[in-house]
């Protein structure tokens, strides 16, 4: 989800055993069948490529660095058993990824600065799913 739209998956208020992969303990609620299927911007030709891996409960690398003024494709893989997202609130970037899936999203050129990243699934930020997104000045 880009540009501050609300996530389509809503709050995690019910367990959903069909998607739990047999793992019930320690989950922060369930998730709907369509998690990760929200529209994401398509990959951009000739853009910088960045790979991010989400785990239970980590974001790797913890700091993503891109160049100011260059479009970027971010490929996010969820190696965890829980749903996760890669979110940069100040830039309006949110990429939802269901367990075991990989999603690539193209983002336009960004303004130089350092921004917080997190997983917005309830409870995941406090479990350590945080990092930084740095847009380096080219000038």
């Amino acid at each position: 989800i880009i540009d501050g739209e609300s996530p389509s998956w809503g709050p995690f208020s019910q367990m959903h055993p069909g998607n739990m992969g047999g793992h019930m303990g320690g989950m922060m609620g369930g998730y709907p069948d369509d998690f990760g299927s929200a529209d994401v911007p398509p990959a951009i030709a000739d853009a910088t490529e960045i790979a991010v891996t989400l785990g239970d409960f980590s974001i790797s690398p913890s700091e993503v660095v891109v160049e100011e003024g260059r479009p970027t494709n971010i490929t996010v893989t969820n190696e965890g058993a829980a749903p996760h997202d890669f979110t940069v609130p100040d830039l309006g970037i949110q990429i939802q990824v269901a367990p075991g899936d990989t999603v690539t999203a193209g983002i336009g050129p960004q303004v130089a600065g350092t921004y917080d990243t997190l997983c917005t699934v309830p409870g995941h930020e406090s479990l350590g799913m945080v990092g930084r997104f740095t847009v380096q000045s080219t000038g």
Side-chain angles (χ1 to χ4, degrees):
I1 296 175
I2 302 294
D3 296 328
E5 293 178 26
S6 296
S8 63
W9 40 266
F12 288 61
S13 59
Q14 299 177 356
M15 295 299 282
H16 196 287
N19 284 338
M20 300 302 282
H23 179 74
M24 296 289 282
M27 292 296 294
M28 294 289 159
Y31 54 97
D33 290 326
D34 64 349
F35 186 89
S37 65
D39 291 334
V40 296
I44 301 168
D46 299 321
T48 300
E49 301 287 336
I50 301 291
V52 175
T53 302
L54 306 176
D56 296 330
F57 294 92
S58 63
I59 298 174
S60 180
S62 61
E63 182 170 7
V64 172
V65 179
V66 300
E67 288 183 33
E68 179 182 33
R70 287 231 357 114
T72 302
N73 292 325
I74 302 175
T75 298
V76 182
T77 301
N78 182 354
E79 293 182 349
H84 297 296
D85 62 54
F86 178 78
T87 300
V88 187
D90 290 340
L91 298 178
I93 297 168
Q94 183 178 51
I95 305 167
Q96 300 174 359
V97 188
D101 284 349
T102 297
V103 175
T104 299
I107 62 169
Q110 301 296 322
V111 176
T114 299
Y115 309 93
D116 292 329
T117 63
L118 70 144
C119 177
T120 64
V121 174
H124 291 195
E125 179 181 13
S126 64
L127 290 171
M129 292 196 75
V130 296
R132 286 193 294 208
F133 188 91
T134 300
V135 181
Q136 289 184 331
S137 176
T138 57

